[in-house]
Amino acid sequence: MNVVDVVTLGESMVTFLPTRPGRLADVPSFERAIGGAESNVACVLAALGHSTRWVSRVGADGFGDHLVARIAGYGVDTGSVRTDPARPTGVYFRTAADRATDAHEVAYYRAGSAASAMSVTGTDLTAARAGRVLHLSGITAALSPQCLELMRELTAPRPGRPLISFDVNHRPGLWAAADGAGVLLELARAADLVFVGEDEAEHAWGVTGGPAAIRALLPEPALLVVKQAAQGATAFARDDAGELLRPAAGGPAAGAADATRPERSGERGGAGRDRAAPAPSPASGPRPATAPHIFEPAPPALEPAPHTFEPAPHVDVVAPVGAGDAFAAGFLSATLRGLPVRHRLRYGHLMAAAALTTPADLATPPGRGHADRLAALDDEAWGRLRLGPGWTQAERAPEEANTP
């Protein structure tokens, strides 16, 4: 089994988008698209030039065929997707967000779907583990007891485990039992890199003290990224996170990385930098096993600030769906390239902006060169940045313009 940059595992569904604004009861027709937190991440990463694999399960139906073909069209390895002859592919319908009232309807038809039957024995675990990073989300854990068992198997400490990236993705409607919050906390504590929204941490765990309070609840992950909606995002790095922050073979040279190394807390007082409270001390006791060799060979470990805040650019939002997945993909892409923490956050913001400025769940990201130029802006220019529909096509090279 060939090792890829990132493996994602989870359910994807065919999405039906309205042809005009209005309530689901009033919309006369829909256009077909695809959606799924984990496959969205894989597709964006593939479009950014990384090797990716999506592991899942679909029904033996036209919708399943469409999903696999579309995702493979982005350059994602779909060879480990299994077909279930007894269960259907999930689908869902949603309205276009009303920008004036933020009204939004989603109707899911995923109960008993093929993906809900993913299990430890019915999933290609070798393929799932054959990545430098394995990206998972809390959605999968909510689909069925066997899916939760699979998530626990994949996140269990073991020698050679890939770096585990976990997006909390708290979806209250998916949890039939009241222990969803506890399960999400358990899985997040077992991961190496965690993405969580400030709002969902409050809804799931009752944490109201901002990013520092969330870090106090989650000291175990080497990297914790707290998304703060339109305000920005804060990244916390544990003291021993250096191994996870090293670029991969072929990544940027140490000198290039050092040239844009994030400031240590307190070294610089510019607007938008280091606004979060200092990270608390790591908890005592055993920590989840990691696989630091996955980023070797590497130059000496970077020395990231224990916490770094990066404001989000101004975005003219078309629809909010898919932005969190795109943010995770952008952060992972910059991590795989060994970029400094502030640039990882900026990459996350830029990929989220690509999703926010299109009506579909999955947007074509900006070309890497374009994103690199924007991520390298000084603080003043970054603060003036405003992104609207169509911005991702600017400065795209001819060969990039054909990316699906």
Side-chain angles (χ1 to χ4, degrees):
M1 177 64 65
N2 64 308
V3 176
V4 297
D5 289 333
V6 180
V7 178
T8 70
L9 179 147
E11 180 174 34
S12 294
M13 294 176 288
V14 170
T15 309
F16 289 95
L17 306 175
T19 54
R20 73 181 190 192
R23 302 184 309 151
L24 285 179
D26 302 327
V27 174
S29 58
F30 297 82
E31 294 180 348
R32 184 178 62 178
I34 63 172
E38 299 82 7
S39 62
N40 285 350
V41 171
C43 290
V44 173
L45 282 167
L48 289 171
H50 301 282
S51 58
T52 62
R53 175 182 299 120
W54 173 54
V55 178
S56 190
R57 197 176 185 93
V58 299
D61 48 43
F63 289 147
D65 294 343
H66 177 70
L67 272 175
V68 174
R70 281 292 307 278
I71 294 169
Y74 279 83
V76 178
D77 177 359
T78 58
S80 300
V81 178
R82 297 190 173 179
T83 301
D84 189 326
R87 298 175 180 84
T89 304
V91 301
Y92 75 97
F93 296 76
R94 69 173 175 84
T95 58
D98 185 325
R99 293 178 60 182
T101 64
D102 199 29
H104 190 64
E105 293 178 77
V106 181
Y108 288 102
Y109 298 90
R110 72 195 308 176
S113 68
S116 70
M118 288 188 295
S119 65
V120 173
T121 57
T123 300
D124 188 342
L125 297 183
T126 300
R129 290 171 171 145
R132 295 167 59 201
V133 177
L134 172 58
H135 180 75
L136 307 166
S137 92
I139 295 173
T140 304
L143 297 180
S144 66
Q146 56 264 41
C147 281
L148 174 55
E149 181 186 12
L150 173 61
M151 290 285 286
R152 284 172 167 154
E153 169 66 23
L154 292 172
T155 57
R158 66 178 64 249
R161 187 185 81 167
L163 184 151
I164 300 296
S165 169
F166 180 69
D167 192 337
V168 172
N169 253 327
H170 178 47
R171 304 288 176 84
L174 290 179
W175 291 96
D179 60 353
V183 168
L184 293 175
L185 187 60
E186 168 199 340
L187 295 173
R189 285 174 168 168
D192 303 298
L193 166 58
V194 172
F195 300 95
V196 63
E198 190 174 23
D199 56 345
E200 65 182 344
E202 179 178 355
H203 295 154
W205 303 317
V207 181
T208 57
I214 297 171
R215 181 53 163 173
L217 181 70
L218 284 170
E220 296 87 355
L223 276 170
L224 171 67
V225 180
V226 180
K227 297 173 290 183
Q228 298 162 264
Q231 181 184 355
T234 299
F236 294 88
R238 206 173 58 199
D239 290 343
D240 61 346
E243 296 290 346
L244 302 179
L245 298 170
R246 293 181 176 185
D258 290 344
T260 51
R261 178 179 294 175
E263 299 83 12
R264 286 185 175 276
S265 179
E267 281 190 4
R268 180 176 173 215
R273 190 73 52 235
D274 288 333
R275 294 179 185 172
S281 300
S284 59
R287 291 169 175 157
T290 58
H293 64 278
I294 61 178
F295 287 105
E296 295 177 355
L302 299 179
E303 297 178 358
H307 64 283
T308 302
F309 173 80
E310 194 60 35
H314 299 285
V315 178
D316 296 327
V317 178
V318 172
V321 182
D325 308 329
F327 182 96
F331 191 94
L332 285 170
S333 174
T335 298
L336 289 163
R337 296 172 61 197
L339 300 183
V341 173
R342 67 176 297 195
H343 285 71
R344 300 177 199 201
L345 291 169
R346 285 191 174 186
Y347 244 83
H349 290 322
L350 291 170
M351 299 308 131
L356 290 168
T357 52
T358 186
D361 291 26
L362 185 57
T364 300
R368 181 180 286 189
H370 185 195
D372 281 347
R373 285 187 287 274
L374 293 179
L377 291 174
D378 60 39
D379 289 347
E380 183 179 356
W382 178 263
R384 294 195 306 266
L385 191 61
R386 189 178 191 105
L387 304 172
W391 76 271
T392 60
Q393 299 304 310
E395 300 186 30
R396 291 181 68 86
E399 65 271 16
E400 293 175 323
N402 294 324
T403 300

